Amino acid sequence: MGGPVNGRRGEPSPTVEVRIDHYSAVHLAASRAREIAVRCGLTGPLPDQAGAVASELASNLDKHAVDGVVYLQPVPGVPGLEILAADRGPGMAELARCLSDGYTTTGTLGTGLGAVQRISGRFLVRTEPGEGTVAAARITAPDTPPAVRRTGLVRLPAEGEEFCGDGCAVGGEAGAPTALVVDGLGHGEPAALAAHTALRAFEGLADRTLPEIVQGLHRSLRHTRGAAVGLLRLCEGRALYCGVGNVRLCVLSPREEHRRMDGRPGVVGWNIPTPQVRSVPLRTGQVAVLYSDGIASRWSHAPSPFLLRLPPELLPAALAHRHRKYRDDATALSLGGL
């Protein structure tokens, strides 16, 4: 997954988090969105449009929400900026009216979500009274082709850390994409180096069998502190999973029982068990999500109906916002079934 780099080792920049706990954070979200949009390769009026979208979403959080946050990151797979917003506010009882230009409940001009929908190349929002709201807006160049598969991600460093020891990528053939989440042991720069080493090796391994990928990553990580690894491949209506360590898979459906899978004990780069591939059906409308142990696993034991109904573009942001461990790096990467 492409994007700006932090300039020291070439690692993709992690997701930027702006907590909307004061009105001044609205300006911060807008200025950071413009800055990151430029680093993502957007030109002309697009950075200012990104700033406007971030400002509108953050302003809504400031006016209406509780525990609101804005996440800023490169769009997965294409040049562009993704702006995610999540909260624990009252939700929107009349979403269609809220998406109309001119609608307001606070006496303002009311251009908010309607303007966001117009400006964004793609805008998704899900809300439920009593649960809150999650939204995602993508700002891309006008000629950017649509994504082949619906994907979402969030990759956050431990609180106070510059580097993120987690990494994620999607590679392989379009008809059978393979997703990787890697969690370098510990956090900070040594963990980030391990994750980056795994991502570089994955570029040449993504089309191989999942056990072969694990073995290839194991060889590449021998001179690092090692990592936990989770692999997900979508193939012929099934989700194939192969994991070592605490990178877990969960397959969600709004109507059926969800499935959970844990990685086998071990450290890739140091000692690994024989890689084992497990399989679960993945139907249209279902979402498969890989996540590191910076996302507390208890969420998957009894997911709320709100989480079960979220599309892949929104699920990682909701998981990070509601279930993140701030003392650890946290990553979630989701793919939707066709």
Side-chain angles (χ1 to χ4, degrees), residues 127-258:
T127 186
E128 186 170 314
E131 280 278 357
T133 301
V134 188
R138 293 182 175 182
I139 309 296
T140 57
D143 57 350
T144 300
V148 175
R149 183 178 291 273
R150 300 180 68 177
T151 305
L153 71 89
V154 168
R155 189 174 71 93
L156 293 157
E159 194 165 48
E161 290 285 350
E162 174 187 0
F163 292 91
C164 183
D166 287 357
C168 60
V170 178
E173 300 177 1
T178 300
L180 164 71
V181 168
V182 55
D183 179 0
L185 263 61
H187 48 80
E189 192 169 6
L193 176 60
H196 183 57
T197 300
L199 291 178
R200 292 185 62 184
F202 178 70
E203 292 176 1
L205 296 167
D207 289 323
R208 299 188 184 182
T209 68
L210 298 189
E212 288 174 338
I213 296 174
V214 170
Q215 294 287 1
L217 296 177
H218 182 58
R219 290 189 294 271
S220 74
L221 289 171
R222 287 187 186 279
H223 299 293
T224 72
R225 60 169 49 186
V229 164
L231 291 164
L232 165 68
R233 175 168 290 165
L234 305 190
C235 183
E236 298 179 349
R238 303 195 69 81
L240 308 180
Y241 168 74
C242 186
V244 176
N246 291 326
V247 176
R248 298 177 170 91
L249 172 71
C250 192
V251 176
L252 303 179
S253 169
R255 295 172 301 277
E256 300 174 21
E257 183 179 353
H258 66 283

Side-chain angles (χ1 to χ4, degrees), residues 289-320:
V289 57
L290 283 173
Y291 59 99
S292 69
D293 65 350
I295 306 289
S297 62
R298 63 180 179 273
W299 77 269
S300 65
H301 294 273
S304 71
F306 183 63
L307 287 178
L308 290 173
R309 291 193 293 268
L310 289 179
E313 296 92 337
L314 299 180
L315 180 60
L319 291 178

Side-chain angles (χ1 to χ4, degrees), residues 43-198:
T43 60
L46 294 176
D48 285 337
Q49 290 177 11
V53 167
S55 178
E56 292 288 1
L57 291 176
S59 181
N60 267 346
L61 295 175
D62 177 64
K63 293 171 186 173
H64 305 294
V66 178
D67 189 22
V69 65
V70 169
Y71 298 124
L72 305 167
Q73 61 189 12
V75 174
V78 298
L81 175 68
E82 182 168 59
I83 305 163
L84 298 147
D87 67 55
R88 294 177 183 270
M92 291 179 278
E94 298 179 280
L95 178 58
R97 291 185 67 193
C98 294
L99 291 173
S100 301
D101 280 352
Y103 179 75
T104 177
T105 61
T106 58
T108 64
L109 292 177
T111 56
L113 293 184
V116 170
Q117 188 173 43
R118 252 188 307 104
I119 294 172
S120 304
R122 180 171 175 81
F123 180 57
L124 286 175
V125 59
R126 295 292 186 272
T127 186
E128 186 170 314
E131 280 278 357
T133 301
V134 188
R138 293 182 175 182
I139 309 296
T140 57
D143 57 350
T144 300
V148 175
R149 183 178 291 273
R150 300 180 68 177
T151 305
L153 71 89
V154 168
R155 189 174 71 93
L156 293 157
E159 194 165 48
E161 290 285 350
E162 174 187 0
F163 292 91
C164 183
D166 287 357
C168 60
V170 178
E173 300 177 1
T178 300
L180 164 71
V181 168
V182 55
D183 179 0
L185 263 61
H187 48 80
E189 192 169 6
L193 176 60
H196 183 57
T197 300

Side-chain angles (χ1 to χ4, degrees), residues 3-14 39 155 162-164 192:
V5 296
N6 63 25
R8 294 181 65 179
R9 293 188 187 275
E11 302 94 334
S13 294
R39 287 162 49 198
R155 189 174 71 93
E162 174 187 0
F163 292 91
C164 183

